[in-house]
Amino acid sequence: MNRLALTAATLFATVSITATASARPMTPEDVAKLESVGTIAVSPDGTRIAYTTSSLPDVTEGEDNGSFKQELKLAWGPDMARSYLPEDVSPGSVQFSPDGRMISFTWTKKDEDRAVWGVPVDGGAYRKLAAVKDADVQTYQWAPDGGTLYLLVDAAEDKQRSAQKKGGFDAVVYEEELKLNRMFAAKVGPEVDEAPREIAVPGYVSAFKVGPDGVTGILESAPTPLIDDEYTSKRVHVVDLSTGAVRTVVKTPGKLDDVEISPDGKQLALVAAIDANDPAATTLHLADVATGTFRAINAGAPEATVDAEWLPDGRLATVVHVGAQSLLRVYKADGSVDHEHDAGSLILTRVDAAGGKIAVAADSPTHPTELFVIDDGAFQRWTSHNPWLSEITFGKQRTITYTARDGQQIEGVLIEPVGGAPKGGAPTIFDVHGGPEAHESNGWQTAYGSPGQVAASQGYAVFLPNYRGSTAYGTAFSKQHQGDYAGKEFDDLVDGKRALVAMGVTDPKRVGVTGGSYGGFATAWSSTYYSAEFAAGVMFVGISNNVSKFGTTDIPNEMYLVHERKWPWEEWDHLMERSPITHVDKAETPLLIMHGAEDTRVSPTQSYELYRHMKTRKPGTPVRLVLFPGEGHGNRKAAARYDYNLRMMEWFDTYLKTGNRKAKMPAPRPTLADGAKGAKPADKDDSES
């Protein structure tokens, strides 16, 4: 195996954390301004790379609230890029046309349905390429000859149902009135094809690819649009796009992620689960297009495949996460390893390739996602967004490994306070990821819900543990949490605390915890059952009652298959024993609970339950419940994200930094930046005791 490492010069240039003379701390207002690279697409000849940048309106400077906006840019070398579209165009699904002369994208023009548009690479006006009347294009693919665009669009309008709604008959029948996406083939020409051909497709198609022959469709399809089916029952269907006939089905047994078709059209690369009980699709598989037979390539390895892309010569490039680090592995067509590129301190997340060029999206401890290209065995940085990050003083970031009470090795990412931990240890925030089928990498770790370098700038250490159940350490490790809600997985957090105290990093009396979803469950458990260990908690979209959670979630089968492996009626008492509400009698940890009001994954009632139990059973323990209208399982809009970050840090400043569990609660409304709409000093008279 040939392992190609980054040169020292490239490594220094891309991930140096040397502070500048104008160094300053990072703030929540900085988090609100972050910009990162999104989609990347290499031109067919490899000379240019189209990519999008993603950012939110800067509500700290008075911009109107909203969700993410994309901007299309074209790069042809390091720090050589330009924008391609007006500011009011937010493109998605960016691709090159097969001849490389046009960049295509989806866009919803005002008062129109979402369509496929294109802009000439060499300059000129953008124009609409394909659309379906009264439908939004979800995604699309070019035919190899460039003469056809295949479109995946939403369901046709039920005009009778629309008329009923206008008449006030708008009742919702839960999980029954499901709508399936449709597929069309539109001819590409000077004018938009007004009568694209509809193609019959099986089930609910969410993504697809087109084979090199132009008529083979590789469709990812589930029985229904229900998210539970998306998680547990999605399979690859090989379809004849000229007739809609299904040729074969690749019957992988569990979760399914990235699917790519080889340049010769004979093989598929699939990132999929190894069985129905595998918590995550992290294993690379190769499948035969003609027969549907498949085989796992790296089953059991202590790693996670996160993205794959075929190279023009028939080899396969994959992004692989090995614990908290990453690498780029290239396979031969037969599945044997050709070589690897060590990513050094970069965390690779996506890969694209064409024309002899391999591009990746990658972040590092000191910058969010940027565009890199492999050049002479090294990762060459092509983009540099957020130049103001050079002003920031970063806390030292590294991975550590500790031994849990039963001997299991646990890895995590540690961010030390700026300037290092003082004698006696620093106040420390455990930032616990969700899933638990996910993992933390030693890359960029600061976001609206992740305290990261904002906390480090304020004197906190931050620890992100890859506790039992995490991915990137092999399927056996990720299955260790099964049938053991809140057991060894959350014992790992306490054992991590012990390790950090022994290292001199952490003050044992000032340890806090935060996290969303399953990380919110960890926060709730740490603030009740393990309350003696944690001085403050910030819980987001978390679980408090494992019985009622099952009855209110949209993923009941996924919970059974990859988490608990039993149905609730088989273990009522056990589920309640492993529910935070059962242990509220121990709750001395000040707890801030936040939830999206429209969350369908973890119902907001989970937060209501814990809040009500704590409020009535432990009235002396500070607790607050904050709901975000219009938000779901995670905040999308800029104002809700900024608000969340402010509240989180204010709660930790009040209870964790001081070590005073009985401190007066902060005002209900956080103090906004001076430039934000509605900003005013916090009203101290509104403070609660």
Side-chain angles (χ1 to χ4, degrees):
M1 182 185 299
N2 176 26
R3 180 176 290 274
L4 300 176
L6 285 171
T7 65
T10 304
L11 180 60
F12 179 83
T14 57
V15 298
S16 171
I17 60 173
T18 302
T20 65
S22 58
R24 64 174 179 83
M26 194 168 192
T27 68
E29 289 69 38
D30 291 324
V31 176
K33 295 175 171 61
L34 287 169
E35 184 178 21
S36 62
V37 169
T39 302
I40 57 174
V42 182
S43 65
D45 63 2
T47 60
R48 289 167 284 200
I49 301 174
Y51 67 96
T52 59
T53 58
S54 182
S55 62
L56 287 163
D58 187 358
V59 293
T60 72
E61 296 293 342
E63 293 185 12
D64 290 339
N65 188 31
S67 54
F68 280 98
K69 183 182 185 304
Q70 315 296 322
E71 183 179 355
L72 175 64
K73 296 182 180 181
L74 186 69
W76 56 92
D79 295 318
M80 293 186 288
R82 71 179 182 90
S83 298
Y84 248 67
L85 294 169
E87 289 186 1
D88 63 344
V89 178
S90 182
S93 302
V94 170
Q95 302 179 31
F96 276 94
S97 59
D99 62 9
R101 298 172 63 183
M102 183 173 290
I103 303 172
S104 57
F105 56 93
T106 56
W107 175 48
T108 306
K109 188 177 181 180
K110 186 177 180 180
D111 299 325
E112 293 187 15
D113 299 313
R114 189 183 306 116
V116 180
W117 297 70
V119 58
V121 170
D122 293 330
Y126 59 93
R127 67 181 180 91
K128 187 183 294 186
L129 299 178
V132 175
K133 185 178 180 181
D134 298 325
D136 284 329
V137 176
Q138 307 298 310
T139 189
Y140 69 95
Q141 294 290 333
W142 286 89
D145 64 4
T148 301
L149 276 167
Y150 291 99
L151 314 175
L152 186 67
V153 308
D154 56 13
E157 180 187 7
D158 183 335
K159 294 184 178 180
Q160 182 183 14
R161 188 74 186 95
S162 297
Q164 290 174 345
K165 287 182 178 179
K166 288 181 180 179
F169 302 98
D170 56 358
V172 175
V173 183
Y174 184 58
E175 292 189 347
E176 287 191 35
E177 297 180 298
L178 306 176
K179 296 182 178 181
L180 303 180
N181 287 333
R182 299 171 291 159
M183 182 171 283
F184 290 83
K187 296 178 181 177
V188 180
E191 303 294 331
V192 174
D193 185 350
E194 297 293 339
R197 172 176 61 89
E198 185 167 3
I199 303 167
V201 294
Y204 179 75
V205 177
S206 55
F208 73 101
K209 296 289 193 300
V210 177
D213 61 3
V215 295
T216 299
I218 308 300
L219 280 55
E220 298 176 38
S221 178
T224 75
L226 296 175
I227 191 66
D228 215 11
D229 279 343
E230 171 81 7
Y231 279 179
T232 65
S233 303
K234 185 169 65 173
R235 305 291 179 262
V236 170
H237 291 66
V238 181
V239 172
D240 186 330
L241 294 176
S242 64
T243 64
V246 177
R247 295 175 181 170
T248 190
V249 178
V250 183
K251 298 179 181 179
T252 48
K255 292 184 177 181
L256 179 67
D257 199 353
D258 188 33
V259 179
E260 304 288 343
I261 187 167
S262 62
D264 62 8
K266 296 180 179 180
Q267 284 198 102
L268 299 179
L270 305 92
V271 179
I274 61 170
D275 57 46
N277 305 123
D278 189 344
T282 59
T283 300
L284 179 66
H285 293 69
L286 292 179
D288 183 83
V289 171
T291 65
T293 57
F294 60 91
R295 60 191 175 97
I297 301 302
N298 60 337
E303 60 188 36
T305 304
V306 300
D307 196 28
E309 180 74 16
W310 290 97
L311 305 181
D313 62 9
R315 294 180 298 161
L316 180 69
T318 63
V319 172
V320 180
H321 286 192
V322 183
Q325 304 302 144
S326 73
L327 56 83
L328 186 77
R329 181 180 296 151
V330 178
Y331 291 91
K332 298 177 182 177
D334 64 3
S336 61
V337 175
D338 186 70
H339 66 274
E340 290 180 349
H341 296 267
D342 189 333
S345 295
L346 294 174
I347 300 300
L348 315 181
T349 54
R350 297 182 299 282
V351 59
D352 194 60
K357 181 159 288 170
I358 299 176
V360 297
D363 58 87
S364 85
T366 56
H367 65 74
T369 305
E370 297 284 2
L371 172 64
F372 291 79
V373 168
I374 294 182
D375 182 25
D376 194 25
F379 290 91
Q380 183 183 52
R381 184 169 174 173
W382 273 31
T383 61
S384 298
H385 301 92
N386 311 298
W388 51 267
L389 284 174
S390 63
E391 305 168 8
I392 302 297
T393 303
F394 290 96
K396 182 180 179 182
Q397 182 171 317
R398 56 193 168 98
T399 60
I400 66 167
T401 301
Y402 61 93
T403 304
R405 62 192 67 179
D406 63 353
Q408 175 67 56
Q409 295 293 294
I410 304 294
E411 187 180 39
V413 178
L414 173 64
I415 305 173
E416 296 184 11
V418 171
K423 184 178 181 180
T428 300
I429 302 171
F430 272 59
D431 184 1
V432 186
H433 67 70
E437 63 275 24
H439 62 273
E440 301 290 2
S441 296
N442 189 25
W444 183 252
Q445 287 292 358
T446 306
Y448 82 95
S450 298
Q453 294 291 346
V454 172
S457 292
Q458 297 180 22
Y460 295 93
V462 179
F463 184 59
L464 303 100
N466 284 332
Y467 56 100
R468 260 169 272 216
S470 301
T471 53
Y473 300 89
T475 302
F477 185 85
S478 63
K479 285 184 175 182
Q480 280 196 46
H481 106 104
Q482 294 180 339
D484 191 25
Y485 282 149
K488 292 186 291 293
E489 58 190 6
F490 296 161
D491 293 345
D492 289 343
L493 308 184
V494 175
D495 295 341
K497 172 188 171 180
R498 302 276 190 273
L500 292 172
V501 170
M503 291 167 55
V505 171
T506 294
D507 178 349
K509 295 182 179 180
R510 294 188 296 163
V511 179
V513 59
T514 189
S517 194
Y518 210 85
F521 179 26
T523 302
W525 188 256
S526 299
S527 302
T528 53
Y529 181 86
Y530 270 134
S531 182
E533 302 285 351
F534 295 94
V538 178
M539 170 188 175
F540 188 41
V541 295
I543 302 158
S544 69
N545 182 336
N546 281 310
V547 172
S548 60
K549 193 265 186 177
F550 179 88
T552 53
T553 187
D554 56 5
I555 53 169
N557 288 296
E558 198 257 3
M559 286 177 61
Y560 167 75
L561 286 169
V562 308
H563 295 301
E564 189 59 5
R565 302 289 294 272
K566 288 184 179 180
W567 298 107
W569 48 89
E570 298 179 75
E571 51 169 6
W572 296 117
D573 291 344
H574 175 72
L575 287 181
M576 289 308 302
E577 175 60 28
R578 296 299 179 88
S579 295
I581 60 167
T582 301
H583 301 281
V584 165
D585 62 312
K586 309 177 186 70
E588 303 289 343
T589 302
L591 181 62
L592 174 61
I593 305 170
M594 294 191 275
H595 216 119
E598 319 305 326
D599 191 354
T600 58
R601 186 66 29 78
V602 177
S603 170
T605 56
Q606 291 292 302
S607 288
Y608 281 113
E609 285 193 48
L610 185 55
Y611 171 81
R612 185 60 67 209
H613 279 266
M614 288 186 65
K615 196 77 172 178
T616 55
R617 194 173 185 184
K618 299 290 288 187
T621 300
V623 62
R624 171 173 288 161
L625 173 60
V626 177
L627 298 171
F628 294 98
E631 299 290 357
H633 199 58
N635 292 351
R636 298 176 301 107
K637 291 193 174 181
R641 287 180 168 225
Y642 176 49
D643 182 277
Y644 182 100
N645 194 265
L646 289 173
R647 291 180 187 276
M648 173 178 63
M649 294 311 304
E650 187 176 45
W651 194 263
F652 284 133
D653 287 346
T654 301
Y655 296 107
L656 180 57
K657 184 174 284 187
T658 65
N660 182 5
R661 297 187 182 215
K662 300 299 181 181
K664 190 176 182 179
M665 281 212 290
R669 301 291 174 184
T671 302
L672 304 177
D674 291 341
K677 292 182 178 179
K680 67 175 184 177
D683 187 353
K684 296 181 180 179
D685 293 333
D686 289 340
S687 298
E688 297 178 14
S689 59

